[in-house]
Amino acid sequence: MKAAIVSGAGQAPIYGDFPSPEAQAGEERVTIIAAALSPVVRGRAAGKHYSAPGAYPFIAGVDGVGRLDSGRRVLFFGSRQPYGSMAEATVVPTGQCVAIPDALDGALAAAIANPGVSSWAALRLRAGLKPGETVLINGATGTSGRLAVQIARHLGAGKVIATARNAEALQSLGADETIQLTQDQDAMEQRFQSAFAHGVDVVIDYLWGQSAERLLMAAARAEGVPIRFVQVGSISGPDITLPSAVLRSSSITLMGSGLGGIPLDNLITSVAELLQAAATAGFTIATRSVPLAQLDQAWNAPDDGRRIVFTV
């Protein structure tokens, strides 16, 4: 079968032939329709993501949309290695296939699943968002952040605050308040302190790095107001420097949300809930569909803000 094959660490996948999978006991064979190119997929292919397989060759892709032998259309994830979602077919554990609502386009489902479940699980399972609470999304103009604004609103947030570097993009998000991330760290922290002074209950952080440091320091000055800080992504860097007093002197609950941090059955439930909500709430995401045969050009193309979805 044709597939996107990763032959070694740091090597971009190539479009080529790979042995077709055969389902074993407890598995489903999936004929693939679409699979999205996400930062996680790129990181695994480069050997830099913590969930990277480590054994080569393997097929790129962590999730996708396809049909079971029964004809049922599903969102699947967790293919048995060395198989992935960017191929003509894969095999996955039976319990890791979620039915897709008829009203939801397959390519859109593939594009939304990974970035959408990051905020859905963070808000629902990790932060325990309550109706009317204020959510601050750090790094809101990327694909995941844009969906996070929509999902926070859908889940009942009373106020959504968005941060990002791009001032123009911030204004298009539909957030109640925006904070531009700038090189002037003191000015940025003052804006953060003002936001926390008016009440922030949950922070969903897609950036880490300096903005996360300043957010945590500002939150620590919020005079004992409980804040749930959920770390989801690290676009601005993998590490921060945080004085221990920030946590000792505040009511901050600092936690992460990601693969391995959420029980599998809860993650599956979150994916099912997300897809149902996407079909009824009209979540939007900019996408670009590309035939898998054009893998090389699409993988190396400049980022234009649209989530690439490979179709088979």
Side-chain angles (χ1 to χ4, degrees), residues 19-272:
S20 296
E22 295 292 336
Q24 300 176 357
E27 292 182 334
E28 298 274 9
R29 187 178 190 277
V30 183
T31 300
I32 299 170
I33 298 171
L37 177 56
S38 66
V40 172
V41 172
R42 289 186 181 277
R44 282 168 58 90
K48 296 180 179 180
H49 194 267
Y50 62 85
S51 67
Y56 302 91
F58 68 88
I59 296 174
V62 296
D63 54 26
V65 169
R67 290 193 184 276
L68 304 180
D69 289 342
S70 65
R72 185 165 65 114
R73 193 175 61 139
V74 296
L75 186 289
F76 65 88
F77 58 94
S79 302
R80 168 167 49 89
Q81 291 301 311
Y83 301 102
S85 60
M86 293 181 177
E88 294 180 323
T90 192
V91 285
V92 299
T94 300
Q96 292 172 210
C97 296
V98 178
I100 298 175
D102 291 340
L104 187 59
D105 176 75
L108 181 60
I112 278 180
N114 182 278
V117 81
S118 70
S119 56
W120 189 280
L123 289 165
R124 291 266 288 173
L125 301 180
R126 301 298 281 152
L129 179 68
K130 302 177 181 64
E133 289 190 317
T134 295
V135 176
L136 187 151
I137 299 166
N138 190 36
T141 55
T143 299
S144 297
R146 286 179 177 275
L147 276 172
V149 172
Q150 300 171 61
I151 288 170
R153 189 82 72 196
H154 175 78
L155 292 176
K159 181 179 180 180
V160 178
I161 304 170
T163 81
R165 292 190 181 279
N166 189 318
E168 183 178 351
L170 273 173
Q171 301 310 313
S172 68
L173 295 175
D176 299 292
E177 182 180 332
T178 61
I179 300 175
Q180 185 179 7
L181 304 179
T182 68
Q183 296 300 317
D184 188 336
Q185 299 296 308
D186 292 335
M188 186 170 67
E189 188 169 344
Q190 288 179 2
R191 290 292 311 277
F192 289 162
Q193 288 181 27
S194 176
F196 284 109
H198 288 88
V200 173
D201 301 290
V202 175
V203 175
I204 304 296
D205 172 51
Y206 285 101
L207 300 181
W208 211 225
Q210 284 191 336
S211 63
E213 289 179 8
R214 296 289 175 161
L215 274 170
L216 285 163
M217 291 176 186
R221 298 186 176 95
E223 299 183 356
V225 177
I227 296 165
R228 289 100 76 198
F229 190 108
V230 189
Q231 212 297 302
V232 180
S234 54
I235 296 173
S236 294
D239 304 306
I240 67 171
T241 300
L242 187 68
S244 59
V246 168
L247 297 180
R248 293 201 310 269
S249 64
S250 66
S251 296
I252 298 172
T253 300
L254 180 59
M255 67 192 92
S257 183
L259 295 173
I262 297 173
L264 181 59
D265 56 344
N266 290 347
L267 183 62
I268 293 170
T269 298
S270 293
V271 171

Side-chain angles (χ1 to χ4, degrees), residues 289-309:
S289 293
V290 178
L292 184 60
Q294 297 178 14
L295 170 73
D296 293 347
Q297 304 95 301
W299 189 278
N300 297 308
D303 184 4
D304 64 359
R306 294 179 292 175
R307 179 57 52 97
I308 293 173
V309 178

Side-chain angles (χ1 to χ4, degrees), residues 7-23:
S7 297
Q11 297 182 23
I14 60 172
Y15 182 71
D17 294 306
F18 201 88
S20 296
E22 295 292 336

